[in-house]
Every structure is written in C-alpha cells, then in structure tokens.
Amino acid sequence: MKMNFPELFHYGNYRVLKKKENSIFVEDLAPASAAVVTVYEGRLILVKQWRAAIGSYTIELPGGGLEEGENPEDGARRELLEETGLKCAEIHLLSTFHPQPYFTNRFSYLFFTNSILEQGSQSLDEDEKVTVESYAVSDVLDEIRLGNLQDSELAYGLFIAQLSGLIEP
Amino acid sequence: MKMNFPELFHYGNYRVLKKKENSIFVEDLAPASAAVVTVYEGRLILVKQWRAAIGSYTIELPGGGLEEGENPEDGARRELLEETGLKCAEIHLLSTFHPQPYFTNRFSYLFFTNSILEQGSQSLDEDEKVTVESYAVSDVLDEIRLGNLQDSELAYGLFIAQLSGLIEP
C-alpha cells in the first residue's frame, strides 16, 4: 500500500496518517500476520492471553506477525510451534482478511491444519504469557454465538473452516 | 478502558501508546461502532465503498461509529438509515466483537434485522460515497469462503446470524 495522506506521526513500523480533520489511518509497514485453525485429536487448539488494549483475557487462534521476508505459511507454522509447541505436516490457506479496512492496512492470513506431527513445548518471547487450551468445536461455536468470545480472527477462521466443511457445526 | 502505557501521540479521539520498544497500541476515545446484518425481501443489504487504508473497494455491513452518548441500537438504526435509506422495525443485538484486541480497544456492536418498514434515500456525509447492493445470502457466504470478500465485520455478523439460525447457509 502507498497512501497519499499527510503523515502526522511515525514510530517503529507504524505511521499515523491524517484522513481528514480529527480522523486518522494507521499504516503498518509490516502489515501481515498469520493464524492457524488447529484441530488436534478432534479438538480446537486455542491460546489464552491478556490483552491490555481491551483490558481482558482473550481466547484466540495461535498466530502473530510475520517476520521480514517470511512466507505466510512458514510464519503460520512458526507461530503455531512457538505458541503451542505443536508441529504440523500439511497446512493450507483458508483466506486472508482485513480486521479494520476503514482504519488500517493490517491483514491476516488464516490457515487450517488437522495434521499435528508432534507436541513439544512453547518458545515464547520474554514478555509473552500464553496458555494453550483445547476445546470441543461445538463449545467454541456456542461461545461465539452467545457473545462470550469476541475475537475477529478466531471467528473469521472458524467461519471459513465451517463453510469449507473442515469443521462440523 | 484506561491503559497505563506512555502516550507517544494524541490526535482527535486517538491516542498512540507505547506498548514496548517499536510497538504500539492505539486507544480510541470513542471506540464503539455498530453494524447491521440486514435481510430485506430475502436478500442481504450490503454497502460498497472505497477503503483507502487497504487500497480497494470493500463490501461491508451498513454501519459506523456511534455518536457521543448514543445508544448502540439507535446508532445501528441511524447508520442503516443514513447509508441505505432503510428504516427498520425490530432489530436485535447479535454480539459485540473486537477487530484487533492486540492493538486497539475499538469494538463493534452487531445487530440483525429482517423487518424493514420503508425504503427512503441515503443521507451521507459529504466525503462518503457508498453504493447499496443486495445479494443472495448463499452468494455472500461463497465469496467469503473463497476469500473474495475479506471484511471482518461482515464475516463476524454473518457467522453469528448463521449460528443463531437467522440466515440459511
């Protein structure tokens, strides 16, 4: 992306651009992340972590930002391994999606795997604290329907997996 | 939300906070928006508009930011009317969701209506250009599954509507 809007502020990989008076875009210079809908022994593997931006814990897909020059599939495998210790064989792309197309160029590659080869241990950054949890698919769908889980990436990944017949409702 | 992170920048309703070195949160001081899954004469009513942040047109749910002190349901009705000219009778809350809980406190109320009372004309802001389009539900679900539609709010709203039995797959 190259957006022709005045730059108001720049820090790290983030540029704040003036959309109009009192309104901004955030341009992320490393906009891509990857996350994985992971089915292992018939259950969904999800990660729980504190999200200061919304002041609560979330249950999300394993995933995170791609490294510079990293292939999306490699990034998805790396994030799955780092956050959950799970190594997978086949993995395939479901789609990409934009969390806030009105605000930022950020986007995410969503993958699916149900072929876990081995389970090792997490290797997190020093400031990361991520708990791995497994759930019945139907329980997660119920919690999304009831509004108890509210993360866009989790819902987007499960929606496509369901529409594609990869998980049962 | 009140986040105890150093403020790097402030413009309008947006505060950029330092999460850690080279990493930020964006705190939105008016974080709530509302959007509506709208079924009219058996078809989904969606809006097409240019999104400069991602450099393309999107197909989204009618919706937008709540005004100061505005009730979410009132905001959903107002946005539906402004963007599509449609006035609805009953409308009900599906859920709220967080597009980027790792980055911003922004969240969205998702509503559903299938009781349209009358169709008038749009009343857009001067800088808004929004085209109203109607689609078969199954076509939209196909386009999401195929990755041709990639908006988180659209997918989230349709997912809950489907899980709740309000739209047919």
Side-chain angles (χ1 to χ4, degrees):
Chain A
M1 187 188 57
K2 195 71 211 113
M3 292 198 283
N4 288 319
F5 292 86
E7 179 179 304
L8 296 169
F9 179 72
H10 185 177
Y11 181 75
N13 276 328
Y14 301 94
R15 295 174 70 215
V16 175
L17 307 177
K18 182 175 174 175
K19 181 180 178 184
K20 58 180 181 176
E21 201 58 32
N22 287 322
S23 183
I24 63 169
F25 291 121
V26 173
E27 181 176 15
D28 191 332
L29 302 177
S33 61
V36 192
V37 177
T38 306
V39 176
Y40 182 40
E41 297 177 344
R43 292 169 70 84
L44 280 173
I45 306 300
L46 301 175
V47 291
K48 182 175 180 176
Q49 59 202 304
W50 177 254
R51 291 304 194 183
I54 61 167
S56 70
Y57 284 92
T58 61
I59 309 281
E60 302 179 27
L61 300 177
L66 297 184
E67 293 174 355
E68 203 181 327
E70 189 177 41
N71 170 295
E73 182 181 314
D74 293 343
R77 289 175 184 276
R78 177 184 51 73
E79 286 287 348
L80 180 63
L81 185 61
E82 286 176 4
E83 292 198 340
T84 70
L86 296 173
K87 201 165 180 172
C88 64
E90 283 173 63
I91 186 169
H92 77 262
L93 183 64
L94 297 171
S95 179
T96 59
F97 86 102
H98 294 276
Q100 297 184 272
Y102 50 86
F103 185 67
T104 174
N105 61 326
R106 184 93 186 188
F107 67 101
S108 183
Y109 293 91
L110 295 168
F111 288 87
F112 176 85
T113 185
N114 60 1
S115 57
I116 298 300
L117 292 174
E118 53 182 289
Q119 179 160 26
S121 53
Q122 291 176 313
S123 54
L124 301 171
D125 291 341
E126 265 183 25
D127 63 328
E128 273 187 307
K129 191 176 180 306
V130 172
T131 308
V132 183
E133 302 187 337
S134 81
Y135 294 87
V137 174
S138 59
D139 288 346
V140 176
L141 299 183
D142 282 346
E143 295 299 306
I144 290 172
R145 178 175 55 78
L146 296 169
N148 297 327
L149 294 176
Q150 304 194 343
D151 175 50
S152 74
E153 193 166 65
L154 172 64
Y156 209 110
L158 293 181
F159 193 26
I160 298 201
Q162 192 199 52
L163 291 173
S164 305
L166 297 166
I167 57 171
E168 296 290 318
Chain B
M1 188 186 55
K2 195 71 212 110
M3 291 199 283
N4 288 319
F5 293 87
E7 179 179 305
L8 295 170
F9 179 72
H10 185 179
Y11 181 75
N13 276 329
Y14 301 94
R15 295 174 71 214
V16 175
L17 307 178
K18 182 175 173 174
K19 182 179 177 184
K20 57 180 181 176
E21 201 57 33
N22 287 322
S23 184
I24 63 169
F25 291 121
V26 173
E27 181 177 15
D28 192 332
L29 302 177
S33 61
V36 191
V37 177
T38 307
V39 177
Y40 182 40
E41 296 176 344
R43 291 169 71 83
L44 280 173
I45 305 300
L46 301 174
V47 291
K48 182 176 180 176
Q49 60 202 303
W50 177 254
R51 291 302 195 184
I54 62 167
S56 70
Y57 284 91
T58 60
I59 310 280
E60 302 179 27
L61 300 177
L66 297 184
E67 293 173 356
E68 202 182 327
E70 189 177 41
N71 170 295
E73 182 181 315
D74 292 344
R77 289 176 184 276
R78 176 184 53 73
E79 285 287 346
L80 180 62
L81 184 61
E82 286 176 4
E83 292 198 341
T84 70
L86 296 173
K87 201 166 180 172
C88 64
E90 284 173 61
I91 186 169
H92 77 261
L93 183 65
L94 296 171
S95 179
T96 60
F97 86 102
H98 294 276
Q100 297 184 274
Y102 49 87
F103 186 66
T104 174
N105 60 326
R106 183 94 186 187
F107 68 100
S108 183
Y109 293 91
L110 295 168
F111 288 87
F112 177 84
T113 186
N114 60 1
S115 58
I116 298 301
L117 292 174
E118 53 181 291
Q119 179 159 28
S121 53
Q122 291 176 312
S123 54
L124 302 171
D125 291 341
E126 265 183 26
D127 64 328
E128 274 187 306
K129 190 173 179 308
V130 172
T131 308
V132 184
E133 301 187 337
S134 81
Y135 294 87
V137 174
S138 59
D139 288 346
V140 176
L141 299 183
D142 282 346
E143 295 300 305
I144 289 172
R145 178 175 54 80
L146 296 168
N148 297 327
L149 294 177
Q150 303 194 346
D151 175 50
S152 74
E153 193 166 66
L154 172 64
Y156 209 109
L158 293 180
F159 193 25
I160 297 201
Q162 193 199 52
L163 291 173
S164 306
L166 296 167
I167 58 172
E168 295 289 318

